Amino acid sequence: MEKVLQPFFTIFDENRNAFTRYSSYEERKLSDMKGYFANEARRQQMEEQGNPIVYRVYKQDVPLKEGELLHCITMIEPGHVDGEFFMTKGHYHLNEDCAEIYYGQKGKGLLLMQKGDRTETIEMNPGTVAYIPAGWGHRTVNVSQHEPFVFFSVWPAQSGYNYQRALDEPFQKKAVVDGDSYKLV
Ligand code: F6R
Ligand code: MN
């Protein structure tokens, strides 16, 4: 008999910027992000001088089959590499029919999206609900130098990840420090 998935819930822990319970945790340090920042020499130097965590992902695992939904919380630390703000690697979904929703919880971020030569940017504040249509590559950036950027994501369990494509077709826009704010270059 097919195993029945039990209903479940978790609570967003405001102090830890994480779910109270989660089934998987991943962190990405600067050492995991070779080649992602424009100034690779500076990234390497920062790796050697402490290798800070860039972002953390707290995920709920469900069967990876059509009909189920994955969800997670991402927390991007404040910081930058030679002026380029800390960000996620970014990816396309392997299954290009799969969309995604991001919900801003804390801090200030940008959602960078692209499809072919088209780019779109949505500023993410607490309460922003952003829709990433199927087929668009997506990356998030923390544009605060002082506080973490935290957001919730939900997406179809059969989406898969294509990180290589985001390297082959790099995100065209970069968010860089501009005084106490940011600008896109
Ligand atoms: C899932 C999704 C997010 C990201 C997360 C980390 O489809 O888009 O949950 O996986 O924000 O970013 P990446 O996966 O680009 O390292
Ligand atoms: Mn995604």
Side-chain angles (χ1 to χ4, degrees):
M1 204 169 67
E2 199 186 341
K3 195 167 166 256
V4 174
L5 184 64
Q6 281 291 116
F8 65 95
F9 73 96
T10 44
I11 293 167
F12 175 63
D13 181 336
E14 297 261 353
N15 298 316
R16 292 189 310 133
N17 292 324
F19 294 125
T20 47
R21 281 177 290 124
Y22 44 89
S23 46
S24 71
Y25 167 72
E26 282 181 336
E27 57 186 32
R28 299 271 180 251
K29 296 183 170 185
L30 269 183
S31 54
D32 299 308
M33 300 196 68
K34 278 193 189 81
Y36 278 90
F37 292 91
N39 190 338
E40 171 55 23
R42 177 65 185 140
R43 185 211 59 79
Q44 194 177 334
Q45 190 184 47
M46 288 173 70
E47 177 185 329
E48 285 158 8
Q49 293 169 349
N51 195 18
I53 291 176
V54 178
Y55 60 102
R56 307 164 196 265
V57 181
Y58 303 89
K59 191 158 134 196
Q60 307 294 1
D61 293 308
V62 298
L64 301 182
K65 65 177 196 193
E66 211 171 316
E68 302 294 351
L69 295 171
L70 286 162
H71 57 295
C72 78
I73 285 171
T74 305
M75 193 269 251
I76 310 179
E77 297 284 354
H80 62 85
V81 177
D82 188 26
E84 189 177 353
F85 281 110
F86 279 8
M87 61 190 178
T88 60
K89 289 183 171 183
H91 60 265
Y92 289 77
H93 292 159
L94 264 182
N95 183 334
E96 293 192 20
D97 293 332
C98 292
E100 181 156 8
I101 284 176
Y102 283 1
Y103 172 68
Q105 290 179 289
K106 277 191 180 181
K108 192 178 195 67
L110 292 181
L111 166 56
L112 306 178
M113 290 165 283
Q114 71 182 38
K115 185 179 173 71
D117 55 8
R118 285 185 287 169
T119 61
E120 285 290 337
T121 305
I122 292 176
E123 198 175 276
M124 301 285 300
N125 292 294
T128 304
V129 181
Y131 188 82
I132 303 163
W136 287 72
H138 44 287
R139 153 181 288 165
T140 42
V141 187
N142 181 356
V143 290
S144 163
Q145 296 181 55
H146 314 290
E147 54 176 1
F149 168 53
V150 186
F151 64 99
F152 173 84
S153 321
V154 58
W155 70 102
Q158 78 275 21
S159 301
Y161 301 91
N162 187 344
Y163 288 98
Q164 189 55 45
R165 181 161 165 210
L167 291 169
D168 296 342
E169 301 168 34
F171 287 87
Q172 288 165 35
K173 292 204 173 144
K174 291 186 175 298
V176 299
V177 172
D178 186 27
D180 201 32
S181 187
Y182 72 89
K183 65 179 177 197
L184 282 173
V185 293

